[in-house]
Amino acid sequence: MACQCGGGGCSTDYGTPARVSEQLVEVEVDGITLTVPAGTSVMRAAAEAGVQIPKLCATDSLEPFGSCRLCLVEIEGRRGYPASCTTLVDKGMKVHTQTPKLAEIRRGVMELYISDHPLDCLTCSANGNCELQDMAGVVGLREVRYGFDGENHLKSEKDTSNPYFSYDPSKCIVCNRCVRACEETQGTFALTIDGRGFESRVSPGQNEAFFDSECVSCGACVQACPTATLMEKTVIAHGQPDHRVVTTCAYCGVGCSFVAEMKGDQVINMVPNKDGQANHGHSCVKGRFAWGYASHPDRVTKPMIRDRISDAWREVSWEEAIQFAAERFKGIQAKYGKDAIGGIVSSRCTNEEDFLVQKLVRAAFGNNNVDTCARVCHSPTGYGLKQTLGESAGTQTFDSVMQADVIMVIGANPTDGHPVFGSQMKRRLREGAKLIVVDPRAIDLVKSPHIRADHHLKLRPGTNVAIANALSHVIVTEGLVDDAFVAERCETQAFIDWKNFVSEPRNSPEALEAATGVPAAEVRAAARLYASADNAAIYYGLGVTEHSQGSTMVMAIANLAMATGNIGRLGVGVNPLRGQNNVQGSCDMGSFPHELPGYRHVSDDVVRGEFEQAWGVTLEKEPGLRIPNMFDAALDGSYKGLYCQGEDIVQSDPNTQHVIAAMEQMECVVVQDLFLNETAKYAHVFLPGASFLEKDGTFTNAERRISRVRKVMEPLGGYGDWEATMMLAKAMGYDMHYDNPSQIMDEIARLVPTFHGVSYDKLDRQGSIQWPCNEEAPDGTPIMHTEQFVRGKGKFFVTQYVPTDEKITPKFPLLLTTGRILAHYNVGAQTRRTSNSAWHPEDILEIHPHDAEERGIKDGDWVGIQSRAGDTVLHAQISTRMQPGVVYTTFHHPFSGANVITTDNSDWATNCPEYKVTAVQVVKVSQPSEWQQRYRQFSDRQDDLMKQREPIKAQ
Amino acid sequence: MHIENLVKMANQIGQFFEAEPDKDQAVKDIASHLKRFWDPRMRTAIIAHVEQGGEGLMEIVATAVRSQRELLQPAQK
């Protein structure tokens, strides 16, 4: 049932989860006859008939538990008073939910609960949103005959250790909902009920504080709690919200739907939307709690300009800032040519904003120098899947994983990077699906509560393609190819070429064992498991793409899926897990220098003609510069101006010193962002960006799902990002005008064939839409390539393994690989400005005990990490998650300088940087690196220039 | 553009396509990739480098640049 309050995002609680069955059962509840699927609980059937049975331990996101004894009913012909949550409907069953006897029992039960519960309802944080209070009212509790003098829990001590929620045991009714949510919904198993009988209390771990326990702060327990026992601190501070707005999370590529709970224009709470089609009411610590950055005092809310980056900033009006930028850009073009400027958009911006920036670059700048941060993460996905399958996107829905029998996770760490989908995957694994993990590190999925990888192919960084070829070799030479699928669906000659190639002895697991470090028998077993499953699905992340052979590996993955017929239906497929929330969208919107919106090459005269007609300009048919090429061209002197919206290239791009040298060559850098980020320290114009709470638009997640982002407050800087882009275009001499982002989406729908059927009206009606959505698929396309591939026949590619140039040497004997952790997001600009920093205050270097011992390194020591690109210093953490010879760090903090070490090596097809393999040496040191000290000085100076900024003159 | 970096990138492209069984096709695919993904100033630089001997370039890449020069040459503006 859809939301009934009008605000959206809330829905009826049916008490127990829905069941799917072809068999239908007719029952009667309080005289109302209805038909429900077999396996449905009496409680749920009653709710579907509009009859609410009192309950406390039941909620429809969790399996029934039958402990609170409040939901008892009478069933004709049956003895006693069964719990309606654990009793299933039966044919012809007649249920009575309200009888004098039931009323008496329920009052008695409530009386017992309340006899050990504080009577502070008026001052309780759950006042107005408390199921216990509601039930006391529903059953008509009028007195507590037992008194309050007996033994009770009313003086239990609160646990406030978690930064986001508190645990008040005095209010706990031991309904187990939190424990079950941690198990069933999140899959972490951090909570338990400690003690027995009266002593029973919720306990994180073994009587630890929440913060010290294994709790990952996903908020599922808080969401499930029917009382004020587990309560968000923001609600405790501000009270219950007065209205709700459904929007989409601004963090990872899962794209969770959230309900922003508001009080006026202040966000009180963010709760996962039960009707959210990507997350089904689940969340992670980032989306659920880490949104305070939006109102952080570091927000820069006034436009600023300066002539040189050594000057203090000057606050100016929007008009002056835009005029300043446009004049500089025009001046650069007059002096160095029209190709001397460009723009970079972000996967953190909406589709509409991305579309406008590429339109600005193409129509107003007159070139194709537009790129997105997807360049440095998933550009190989776009290239590789387009070549093999015909479309630059994942093939499935997230829910498809629930039909998978074998799951292969390659170079992805879903429990940290895509936590909500990670929980769904773990749920399927607990149901019995088999798991193959291909990763240099022992990620959590390899071994966590009730999860064990059947095969962990712990390869050496940089040998993905060798592993994929070895897997393919086994599949082909052991006769495991789905010949019928290949014959019907794929290009014959390309398949034969591929088959011959992978069959060569050099591609056998045995021949490649020395390179990959993975025992051949393990590879053979994994290949057999993957190829023999009814449904096998591959999930992959940046551990696939961020390599010199990133695109090759994406094609190798598509080859594997096609060869085994694992594509085109539920439970299978090729599933790229996108890093940021709108990676898919920013790519779809033509934010690439070679592609117009909808992945059409700029050299295509017909397509370009359509855009020229719509936009009234002549468009450039040559591809423009990609982000790394922009840096090279800046150093070459042919690229001098950059408009950078929502992206922090100085921190996130590899080989920081190279990037900084390029930035210093620029004559006009315009940064539009929430904060004075590292890139802004090299900028001449700063335009205040709007957070996701401050603008309307859409994000497209990893399953091609387009969801609405809704404005819950006015932009702090006065304008949405899309409005600033419009102003800049106009100042550059190209007038484009939209009244609102909905009109931008209408233009996208007109120009992009896979978006022809998309509109805000339809999104509001359907909740979300998976593209392609057009005349052929008016409601969208959950599963792609069902009848045929988008390119017609699927195409196999020969994927030769080429070892990376980043090889270990006596000087650099270790391989560094980089990644992310649960608490932080990308450059950390958002999450560092929240309490998530409590879990991860700095980036650290994980190193295997053997490598540490050899170097005399102890846990917590300062260690210097040196590569051919540069060196930096971090604290070490000894970890057996690593294999000997491999070290790991994250890049969430600017002064860590993780990217000072990474090199300018990149993917051959797309220039996606090779973040995942850098040859390094690690030594014990006593102070920050010379770069860190220098950068700290520079950064302090920039902070001073910010503090010295000249305020805007009163109008 | 820094020619060493361009040579390295071009060779990486060559290493992918040289695995194709049809060598003529591989040469065409290398040139097509450069045409479709490299900005004109990058292509101009690699053409000039080949004309000066193409030091460091894989043979198949040099062949692709030479044989498809017309395709790769940016249009005069």
Side-chain angles (χ1 to χ4, degrees), chain A residues 338-339 369 383 497 548 552 555 594 601 603 620 622-626 629 632-633 636 638-639 797-800 802 805 868 904-906 908-909 911, chain B residues 1-2 5-6 8-9 11-22 29 33-43 71-75 77:
Chain A
K338 84 176 158 69
D339 296 332
N369 292 332
Y383 178 83
D497 290 344
S548 61
T552 314
M555 288 188 267
H594 66 288
H601 200 272
S603 65
E620 174 61 57
E622 289 280 15
L625 296 165
R626 299 170 287 196
N629 310 147
D632 289 344
D636 185 40
S638 65
Y639 189 75
F797 275 79
V798 170
T799 54
Q800 177 168 250
V802 180
D805 288 350
R868 65 180 169 86
D904 51 12
N905 249 17
S906 68
W908 66 270
N911 270 163
Chain B
M1 303 294 279
H2 199 279
N5 201 22
L6 293 180
K8 180 175 163 182
M9 284 159 53
N11 283 345
Q12 286 180 306
I13 294 165
Q15 283 171 324
F16 178 80
F17 288 108
E18 72 168 352
E20 288 185 18
D22 181 341
D29 287 344
H33 191 91
L34 293 173
K35 167 79 176 169
R36 291 175 70 81
F37 294 95
W38 279 29
D39 166 275
R41 71 197 90 172
M42 296 162 70
R43 302 203 310 263
L71 174 82
L72 294 174
Q73 188 71 53
K77 289 176 188 169

Side-chain angles (χ1 to χ4, degrees), chain B residues 5-70:
Chain B
N5 201 22
L6 293 180
V7 166
K8 180 175 163 182
M9 284 159 53
N11 283 345
Q12 286 180 306
I13 294 165
Q15 283 171 324
F16 178 80
F17 288 108
E18 72 168 352
E20 288 185 18
D22 181 341
K23 296 302 165 200
D24 290 342
Q25 189 60 44
V27 165
K28 283 184 195 149
D29 287 344
I30 291 168
S32 167
H33 191 91
L34 293 173
K35 167 79 176 169
R36 291 175 70 81
F37 294 95
W38 279 29
D39 166 275
R41 71 197 90 172
M42 296 162 70
R43 302 203 310 263
T44 304
I46 204 79
I47 291 169
H49 183 68
V50 169
E51 283 172 353
Q52 287 159 22
E55 192 188 340
L57 269 185
M58 286 169 68
E59 187 47 45
I60 194 169
V61 177
T63 304
V65 174
R66 266 194 300 270
S67 65
Q68 304 286 323
R69 191 179 187 288
E70 207 168 304

Side-chain angles (χ1 to χ4, degrees), chain A residues 511-585:
Chain A
L512 290 165
E513 187 174 315
T516 63
V518 183
E522 195 74 18
V523 176
R524 286 193 178 270
R528 289 171 196 142
L529 180 64
Y530 173 75
S532 309
D534 288 341
N535 286 333
I538 297 177
Y539 292 84
Y540 73 87
L542 305 183
V544 160
T545 55
E546 290 174 346
H547 287 273
S548 61
Q549 283 203 288
S551 292
T552 314
M553 184 58 184
V554 172
M555 288 188 267
I557 286 171
N559 289 342
L560 278 169
M562 288 191 290
T564 53
N566 278 311
I567 208 146
R569 61 179 189 280
L570 270 173
V572 299
V574 176
N575 301 274
L577 295 172
R578 308 296 191 141
Q580 304 197 48
N581 51 349
N582 204 33
V583 172
Q584 182 69 55

Side-chain angles (χ1 to χ4, degrees), chain A residues 208-378:
Chain A
E208 291 166 288
F210 262 90
F211 186 78
D212 300 326
S213 74
E214 289 167 343
C215 166
V216 292
S217 297
C218 68
C221 57
V222 183
Q223 192 70 1
C225 181
T227 70
T229 309
L230 290 161
M231 182 57 83
E232 297 93 345
K233 289 183 175 176
T234 49
V235 175
I236 294 173
H238 301 292
Q240 296 292 330
D242 60 33
H243 70 282
R244 297 173 168 81
V245 182
V246 174
T247 190
T248 304
C249 179
Y251 283 119
C252 81
V254 179
C256 293
S257 178
F258 270 86
V259 180
E261 298 193 327
M262 308 291 301
K263 215 169 198 170
D265 65 354
Q266 185 185 10
V267 181
I268 301 298
N269 202 7
M270 289 286 277
V271 294
N273 181 6
K274 204 169 129 184
D275 296 330
Q277 289 148 321
N279 58 319
H280 306 295
H282 191 34
S283 59
C284 80
V285 61
K286 295 190 281 283
R288 177 78 155 91
F289 295 118
W291 39 267
Y293 68 87
S295 52
H296 195 278
D298 285 354
R299 281 285 298 271
V300 183
T301 58
K302 293 191 175 64
M304 304 185 297
I305 59 174
R306 57 182 177 179
D307 280 321
R308 291 178 302 270
I309 64 166
S310 53
D311 291 347
W313 287 98
R314 188 156 63 86
E315 285 180 358
V316 293
S317 67
W318 274 92
E319 292 70 24
E320 189 175 346
I322 294 285
Q323 206 52 43
F324 181 91
E327 276 168 23
R328 283 218 164 183
F329 280 155
K330 284 192 274 193
I332 290 170
Q333 286 191 308
K335 191 170 168 189
Y336 302 99
K338 84 176 158 69
D339 296 332
I341 63 171
I344 295 175
V345 297
S346 171
S347 302
R348 274 168 261 178
C349 294
T350 63
N351 287 319
E352 292 75 4
E353 288 158 354
D354 289 338
F355 182 85
L356 277 207
V357 172
Q358 63 87 34
K359 183 173 176 179
L360 163 86
V361 171
R362 296 199 154 102
F365 292 2
N367 61 45
N368 285 316
N369 292 332
V370 62
D371 210 353
T372 160
C373 58
R375 170 68 51 211
V376 301
C377 72
H378 263 289

